[in-house]
Amino acid sequence: MSGPTAETPSTIQICRIMRPDDANVAGNVHGGTILKMIEEAGAIISTRHCNSQNRERCVAALARVERTDFLSPLCIGEVVHASAEITYTSKHSVEVQVNVTSENILTGVTKLTNKATLWYVPLSLEDVDRVLEVPPVVYSRQEQEQEGRKRYEAQKLERMETKWRNGDIVQPVLNPEPNTVSYSQSSLIHLVGPSDCTLHGFVHGGVTMKLMDDVAGIVATRHCKTNVVTASVDAINFHDKIKKGFIITISGRMTFTSNKSMEIEVLVDANPVLTNTPKRYRAASAFFTYVSLSQEGRSLPVPQLVPETEDEKKRFEEGKGRYLQMKAKRQGKAEPQP
């Protein structure tokens, strides 16, 4: 099925071989490595499109990543191909769909490992707070534009609904018991440097996603004490920009466990320490799902989480609802009504 067309190419592909520093101790490639590569492909094609007409120059900034499933583990030595395509444009945003395939260069075997949908907005190079208009694409079928508009309205509504969590902070607890939320919760502090940033001096979305996956992996490993891999990522919402020189705190906590999976909430807070009036703010948030694997790569049972406080019990029930909803989708059933 042909997609939308424009004056500039609406598809690109980037690829690279997976190396030891891309993987965990068991040789499985980090989910964050793939998320970063997906975002790089999306940023290239959306920035190229937004500058395709003789208008004010801009850089496309990542605003949201829809739920992404990791369909098959990747290993060191495999070549990863990320193919990006522009599938919809609104007045101020670009939808990019990315398919990721792995290639075993010894056998020639390829397989689909990820599908992702990302949303970008064009920010002026002259004024980073100004969002520019997006050049429209031409659709080969009218239904494509209608379907794209529905996706656009749905993600816009969901982004608004996530902002209520902005005040939530992960607090450390002394001497926590095993299998509790406090036992595995983890934080990482990162000083944003030039290599993390776009031409604007703001952090690449892919850099943030990789740090988020790193923290989620630490939480999952602490809880299971086994090899763990990313199974999926719920929608990642980027609430605000992060500037070069800021200190960011990435915090993760277990929210729910099923028999063989773990849901981990990851929050990203930014602190503009170099300004006269530093004020910490929530920059991004998402839910990661991890699974535990044996040395042979088989799925293992997960130790059950023991929620202690009322807030933890509430988050557990919310996570259970998300788990059952996705399980119903996978089984081809109707989504449960709220």
Side-chain angles (χ1 to χ4, degrees):
M1 180 173 59
S2 59
T5 60
E7 293 181 1
T8 55
S10 59
T11 61
I12 66 162
Q13 183 181 96
I14 62 174
C15 65
R16 73 177 181 89
I17 194 167
M18 295 294 101
R19 302 189 181 279
D21 57 353
D22 295 317
N24 62 19
V25 293
N28 299 120
V29 173
H30 293 295
T33 300
I34 305 305
L35 289 171
K36 188 171 184 285
M37 195 169 174
I38 287 171
E39 198 278 328
E40 287 172 354
I44 291 169
I45 194 170
S46 54
T47 298
R48 179 182 291 168
H49 176 77
C50 291
N51 288 280
S52 62
Q53 298 184 6
N54 191 19
R55 300 182 178 185
E56 184 178 340
R57 296 306 177 197
C58 63
V59 171
L62 184 62
R64 175 180 168 90
V65 181
E66 303 291 0
R67 178 184 171 87
T68 303
D69 291 305
F70 290 75
L71 307 175
S72 180
L74 285 156
C75 298
I76 296 169
E78 292 184 311
V79 174
V80 173
H81 303 261
S83 303
E85 178 183 11
I86 294 174
T87 48
Y88 177 75
T89 58
S90 68
K91 185 177 181 180
H92 295 293
S93 64
V94 181
E95 180 192 53
V96 178
Q97 292 189 5
V98 182
N99 288 340
V100 179
T101 56
S102 65
E103 175 192 0
N104 185 319
I105 54 177
L106 301 179
T107 65
V109 174
T110 62
K111 56 187 176 182
L112 179 68
T113 61
N114 298 83
K115 288 184 175 181
T117 301
L118 306 90
W119 293 89
Y120 289 84
V121 293
L123 303 180
S124 166
L125 284 176
E126 297 178 0
D127 179 3
V128 72
D129 293 320
R130 185 154 56 89
V131 178
L132 303 182
E133 290 190 12
V134 175
V137 293
V138 179
Y139 303 91
S140 57
R141 295 185 301 109
Q142 185 178 2
E143 291 82 0
Q144 289 178 324
E145 183 175 11
Q146 294 171 348
E147 293 165 359
R149 188 180 298 113
K150 288 179 182 178
R151 295 192 299 270
Y152 167 74
E153 294 296 340
Q155 65 86 26
K156 186 177 179 181
L157 180 61
E158 289 183 15
R159 275 179 54 80
M160 295 299 296
E161 290 175 347
T162 60
K163 291 189 176 181
W164 70 273
R165 303 188 71 90
N166 282 5
D168 206 2
I169 297 176
V170 177
Q171 299 287 358
V173 175
L174 295 176
N175 303 318
E177 294 293 326
N179 299 335
T180 61
V181 175
S182 302
Y183 183 81
S184 59
Q185 70 181 29
S186 305
S187 295
L188 182 153
I189 298 175
H190 179 75
L191 175 64
V192 177
S195 63
D196 298 323
C197 297
T198 67
L199 296 174
H200 276 119
F202 290 90
V203 175
H204 284 287
V207 171
T208 304
M209 289 194 291
K210 187 178 187 309
L211 291 170
M212 294 172 78
D213 182 71
D214 288 347
V215 170
I218 293 171
V219 173
T221 302
R222 280 181 165 174
H223 184 77
C224 289
K225 299 179 177 64
T226 62
N227 177 36
V228 296
V229 294
T230 314
S232 66
V233 185
D234 268 8
I236 302 177
N237 290 292
F238 294 84
H239 308 298
D240 209 339
K241 299 182 290 294
I242 305 171
K243 195 173 183 179
K244 180 175 64 179
F246 283 18
I247 292 176
I248 54 176
T249 302
I250 306 97
S251 303
R253 62 186 170 199
M254 192 81 64
T255 50
F256 170 75
T257 53
S258 67
N259 289 333
K260 291 190 175 181
S261 68
M262 302 159 276
E263 182 190 73
I264 298 147
E265 182 179 31
V266 181
L267 309 172
V268 180
D269 294 319
N271 189 352
V273 292
L274 299 180
T275 64
N276 293 328
T277 56
K279 184 179 180 181
R280 185 182 177 115
Y281 62 90
R282 178 65 37 80
S285 58
F287 291 98
F288 287 70
T289 299
Y290 269 72
V291 293
S292 174
L293 298 180
S294 68
Q295 291 182 347
E296 294 76 29
R298 297 189 181 93
S299 179
L300 293 174
V302 171
Q304 291 305 289
L305 182 66
V306 181
E308 298 176 298
T309 68
E310 290 303 315
D311 284 343
E312 290 172 358
K313 292 175 182 177
K314 180 182 177 181
R315 286 193 291 269
F316 187 92
E317 291 302 317
E318 291 172 347
K320 183 178 180 180
R322 288 186 290 271
Y323 167 77
L324 293 175
Q325 188 178 50
M326 291 310 305
K327 186 177 180 180
K329 283 185 178 180
R330 287 193 297 269
Q331 294 174 346
K333 298 178 180 178
E335 292 185 32
Q337 296 297 317

Coordinates of all heavy atoms in Angstrom, one line a residue, residues 46-93:
S46 N 11.8 13.6 9.6 CA 10.8 14.7 9.9 C 11.5 16.0 9.8 O 10.9 17.0 9.3 CB 10.3 14.5 11.4 OG 11.3 14.4 12.3
T47 N 12.8 16.2 10.2 CA 13.5 17.4 10.0 C 13.7 17.7 8.5 O 13.5 18.9 8.1 CB 14.8 17.4 10.7 OG1 14.6 17.3 12.1 CG2 15.6 18.7 10.5
R48 N 14.0 16.7 7.8 CA 14.2 16.9 6.3 C 12.9 17.4 5.7 O 12.9 18.3 4.9 CB 14.7 15.6 5.7 CG 14.8 15.7 4.2 CD 15.3 14.3 3.7 NE 16.6 14.0 4.1 CZ 17.1 12.7 4.0 NH1 16.4 11.8 3.5 NH2 18.4 12.5 4.3
H49 N 11.8 16.7 6.1 CA 10.5 17.1 5.5 C 10.1 18.5 5.9 O 9.6 19.3 5.1 CB 9.4 16.2 6.0 CG 8.0 16.5 5.5 ND1 7.6 16.3 4.2 CD2 7.0 17.2 6.2 CE1 6.3 16.8 4.1 NE2 6.0 17.3 5.2
C50 N 10.3 18.9 7.2 CA 9.9 20.2 7.6 C 10.7 21.3 7.0 O 10.3 22.5 7.0 CB 10.0 20.3 9.2 SG 8.7 19.3 10.0
N51 N 11.9 21.0 6.4 CA 12.7 22.0 5.7 C 12.6 21.8 4.2 O 13.5 22.4 3.5 CB 14.1 21.9 6.2 CG 14.3 22.4 7.6 OD1 14.4 23.6 7.9 ND2 14.4 21.5 8.6
S52 N 11.6 21.1 3.7 CA 11.6 20.8 2.3 C 11.1 21.9 1.4 O 11.3 21.9 0.2 CB 10.7 19.6 2.1 OG 9.3 19.9 2.5
Q53 N 10.4 22.9 2.1 CA 10.0 24.1 1.3 C 10.8 25.3 1.7 O 11.5 25.3 2.8 CB 8.5 24.3 1.5 CG 7.7 23.1 1.0 CD 6.2 23.4 1.1 OE1 5.8 24.5 1.5 NE2 5.4 22.4 0.8
N54 N 10.8 26.3 0.9 CA 11.6 27.5 1.2 C 11.0 28.3 2.3 O 10.4 29.4 2.1 CB 11.7 28.3 -0.1 CG 12.8 29.4 0.0 OD1 13.6 29.4 0.9 ND2 12.7 30.4 -0.8
R55 N 11.1 27.8 3.5 CA 10.6 28.5 4.7 C 11.7 28.7 5.7 O 12.8 28.3 5.5 CB 9.4 27.6 5.3 CG 8.3 27.3 4.3 CD 7.2 26.6 5.0 NE 6.0 26.3 4.1 CZ 4.9 25.7 4.5 NH1 4.8 25.3 5.8 NH2 3.9 25.6 3.7
E56 N 11.3 29.2 6.9 CA 12.2 29.4 8.0 C 12.7 28.0 8.4 O 12.0 27.0 8.6 CB 11.5 30.0 9.1 CG 12.4 30.4 10.3 CD 11.6 31.1 11.4 OE1 10.5 31.7 11.1 OE2 12.1 31.1 12.6
R57 N 14.1 27.9 8.7 CA 14.7 26.7 9.0 C 14.3 26.2 10.4 O 14.1 27.0 11.3 CB 16.2 26.8 8.9 CG 16.7 27.0 7.5 CD 16.2 26.0 6.5 NE 16.5 26.2 5.1 CZ 15.9 25.7 4.1 NH1 14.9 24.8 4.3 NH2 16.3 25.9 2.9
C58 N 14.2 24.9 10.6 CA 13.8 24.4 11.9 C 14.4 23.0 12.1 O 15.0 22.4 11.2 CB 12.2 24.3 11.9 SG 11.6 23.1 10.6
V59 N 14.2 22.5 13.3 CA 14.6 21.1 13.7 C 13.4 20.5 14.3 O 12.7 21.1 15.1 CB 15.8 21.1 14.7 CG1 16.0 19.7 15.3 CG2 17.0 21.6 14.1
A60 N 13.1 19.2 13.9 CA 11.9 18.5 14.4 C 12.3 17.9 15.8 O 13.3 17.2 15.9 CB 11.5 17.4 13.4
A61 N 11.4 18.3 16.8 CA 11.6 17.8 18.1 C 10.6 16.7 18.5 O 9.4 16.8 18.1 CB 11.5 19.0 19.1
L62 N 11.0 15.7 19.1 CA 10.2 14.6 19.5 C 9.2 15.0 20.6 O 9.6 15.5 21.6 CB 11.0 13.4 20.0 CG 10.3 12.1 20.3 CD1 9.6 11.5 19.1 CD2 11.2 11.1 20.9
A63 N 7.9 14.7 20.3 CA 6.9 15.1 21.3 C 6.3 13.8 21.9 O 5.9 13.9 23.1 CB 5.7 15.9 20.6
R64 N 6.2 12.7 21.2 CA 5.6 11.5 21.7 C 6.0 10.3 20.9 O 6.2 10.4 19.7 CB 4.0 11.7 21.7 CG 3.2 10.5 22.1 CD 1.8 10.8 22.1 NE 0.9 9.6 22.2 CZ 0.4 9.1 23.3 NH1 0.7 9.7 24.5 NH2 -0.3 8.1 23.4
V65 N 6.1 9.2 21.7 CA 6.3 7.9 21.0 C 5.1 7.0 21.5 O 4.9 6.8 22.7 CB 7.6 7.2 21.4 CG1 7.8 5.9 20.7 CG2 8.8 8.1 21.1
E66 N 4.4 6.4 20.5 CA 3.3 5.5 20.8 C 3.9 4.2 21.4 O 5.1 3.9 21.3 CB 2.4 5.2 19.6 CG 1.9 6.5 19.0 CD 0.8 7.2 19.8 OE1 0.5 6.7 20.9 OE2 0.3 8.2 19.4
R67 N 3.0 3.3 21.9 CA 3.4 2.1 22.5 C 4.2 1.3 21.5 O 3.9 1.2 20.3 CB 2.2 1.2 22.9 CG 2.5 -0.1 23.4 CD 1.3 -1.0 23.7 NE 1.8 -2.4 24.0 CZ 2.1 -2.8 25.2 NH1 2.0 -1.9 26.3 NH2 2.5 -4.0 25.4
T68 N 5.4 0.8 21.9 CA 6.3 0.0 21.1 C 6.5 -1.4 21.7 O 6.9 -1.5 22.8 CB 7.6 0.8 21.0 OG1 7.4 2.1 20.5 CG2 8.6 0.1 20.0
D69 N 6.3 -2.4 20.9 CA 6.5 -3.8 21.3 C 7.9 -4.3 20.8 O 8.2 -4.0 19.6 CB 5.4 -4.7 20.9 CG 4.1 -4.4 21.6 OD1 4.1 -4.4 22.8 OD2 3.1 -4.2 20.9
F70 N 8.6 -5.0 21.6 CA 9.9 -5.6 21.2 C 9.5 -7.1 20.8 O 9.3 -7.9 21.7 CB 10.9 -5.5 22.3 CG 11.4 -4.1 22.5 CD1 10.6 -3.2 23.1 CD2 12.6 -3.7 22.0 CE1 11.1 -1.9 23.3 CE2 13.1 -2.4 22.2 CZ 12.3 -1.5 22.8
L71 N 9.4 -7.3 19.5 CA 8.8 -8.6 19.0 C 9.8 -9.7 19.1 O 9.4 -10.9 19.2 CB 8.4 -8.4 17.6 CG 7.4 -7.3 17.3 CD1 7.1 -7.1 15.8 CD2 6.1 -7.4 18.1
S72 N 11.1 -9.4 19.1 CA 12.1 -10.5 19.1 C 13.4 -9.9 19.6 O 13.8 -8.8 19.3 CB 12.4 -11.0 17.7 OG 13.3 -12.0 17.6
P73 N 14.2 -10.7 20.5 CA 15.4 -10.2 21.0 C 16.5 -10.0 19.9 O 16.5 -10.7 18.9 CB 15.9 -11.2 22.0 CG 14.6 -12.1 22.3 CD 13.8 -12.0 21.0
L74 N 17.3 -9.0 20.2 CA 18.5 -8.7 19.3 C 19.7 -9.1 20.0 O 19.8 -8.9 21.2 CB 18.5 -7.2 18.9 CG 17.5 -6.8 17.8 CD1 17.2 -5.3 18.0 CD2 17.9 -7.1 16.4
C75 N 20.7 -9.5 19.2 CA 22.0 -10.0 19.8 C 23.2 -9.2 19.2 O 23.1 -8.7 18.1 CB 22.1 -11.5 19.6 SG 20.8 -12.4 20.4
I76 N 24.3 -9.3 19.9 CA 25.5 -8.7 19.4 C 25.9 -9.3 18.1 O 25.8 -10.6 17.9 CB 26.7 -8.9 20.5 CG1 26.4 -8.2 21.8 CG2 28.0 -8.5 19.9 CD1 27.3 -8.6 22.9
G77 N 26.4 -8.5 17.1 CA 26.8 -9.0 15.8 C 25.7 -8.9 14.8 O 26.0 -9.0 13.6
E78 N 24.4 -8.7 15.2 CA 23.4 -8.6 14.2 C 23.4 -7.1 13.7 O 23.7 -6.2 14.4 CB 22.0 -8.9 14.8 CG 21.9 -10.4 15.1 CD 20.5 -10.7 15.6 OE1 20.0 -10.1 16.5 OE2 19.9 -11.7 15.1
V79 N 22.9 -7.0 12.4 CA 22.8 -5.6 11.9 C 21.3 -5.2 12.0 O 20.4 -5.9 11.7 CB 23.2 -5.6 10.4 CG1 22.9 -4.2 9.7 CG2 24.7 -5.9 10.2
V80 N 21.1 -4.0 12.5 CA 19.8 -3.5 12.7 C 19.5 -2.4 11.6 O 20.3 -1.5 11.4 CB 19.6 -2.8 14.1 CG1 18.3 -2.1 14.3 CG2 19.8 -3.9 15.2
H81 N 18.3 -2.6 11.0 CA 17.9 -1.7 10.0 C 16.6 -1.0 10.5 O 15.6 -1.6 10.8 CB 17.5 -2.4 8.7 CG 18.6 -3.2 8.1 ND1 19.4 -2.7 7.1 CD2 19.1 -4.4 8.4 CE1 20.3 -3.7 6.8 NE2 20.1 -4.7 7.6
A82 N 16.6 0.4 10.5 CA 15.5 1.1 11.0 C 15.0 1.9 9.8 O 15.6 2.8 9.2 CB 15.8 2.1 12.1
S83 N 13.8 1.6 9.3 CA 13.1 2.2 8.1 C 12.0 3.1 8.6 O 11.1 2.7 9.2 CB 12.6 1.1 7.2 OG 13.6 0.2 6.8
A84 N 12.2 4.4 8.2 CA 11.2 5.4 8.7 C 10.4 6.0 7.5 O 10.9 6.2 6.4 CB 11.9 6.6 9.4
E85 N 9.1 6.2 7.8 CA 8.2 6.8 6.7 C 7.3 7.8 7.4 O 6.7 7.6 8.5 CB 7.4 5.6 6.1 CG 6.4 6.1 5.1 CD 5.5 5.0 4.5 OE1 5.6 3.9 5.1 OE2 4.8 5.2 3.5
I86 N 7.1 8.9 6.7 CA 6.1 9.9 7.1 C 4.7 9.4 6.7 O 4.5 9.1 5.5 CB 6.4 11.3 6.5 CG1 7.7 11.8 7.1 CG2 5.2 12.3 6.8 CD1 8.1 13.1 6.5
T87 N 3.8 9.3 7.7 CA 2.5 8.7 7.4 C 1.4 9.7 7.6 O 0.2 9.5 7.1 CB 2.2 7.5 8.3 OG1 2.5 7.8 9.6 CG2 3.0 6.3 7.8
Y88 N 1.6 10.9 8.2 CA 0.6 11.9 8.4 C 1.2 13.2 8.8 O 2.2 13.2 9.6 CB -0.4 11.5 9.5 CG -1.5 12.5 9.7 CD1 -2.6 12.7 8.8 CD2 -1.5 13.3 10.9 CE1 -3.5 13.7 9.0 CE2 -2.5 14.2 11.1 CZ -3.5 14.4 10.2 OH -4.4 15.4 10.4
T89 N 0.7 14.3 8.4 CA 1.1 15.6 8.9 C -0.2 16.4 9.3 O -1.2 16.4 8.5 CB 1.9 16.4 7.8 OG1 1.1 16.5 6.7 CG2 3.2 15.7 7.5
S90 N -0.1 17.1 10.4 CA -1.1 18.1 10.8 C -0.5 19.4 10.5 O 0.6 19.5 10.0 CB -1.6 17.9 12.2 OG -0.5 18.3 13.1
K91 N -1.1 20.5 11.0 CA -0.6 21.8 10.8 C 0.8 22.0 11.5 O 1.7 22.7 10.9 CB -1.6 22.9 11.2 CG -1.2 24.3 10.9 CD -2.2 25.3 11.4 CE -1.8 26.7 11.1 NZ -2.8 27.7 11.5
H92 N 0.9 21.4 12.6 CA 2.1 21.6 13.4 C 2.8 20.4 13.9 O 3.6 20.4 14.8 CB 1.8 22.5 14.7 CG 1.3 23.9 14.4 ND1 2.1 24.8 13.8 CD2 0.1 24.5 14.5 CE1 1.4 26.0 13.7 NE2 0.2 25.8 14.1
S93 N 2.5 19.2 13.3 CA 3.1 18.0 13.7 C 3.3 17.0 12.6 O 2.6 17.1 11.6 CB 2.4 17.3 14.9 OG 1.1 16.9 14.4

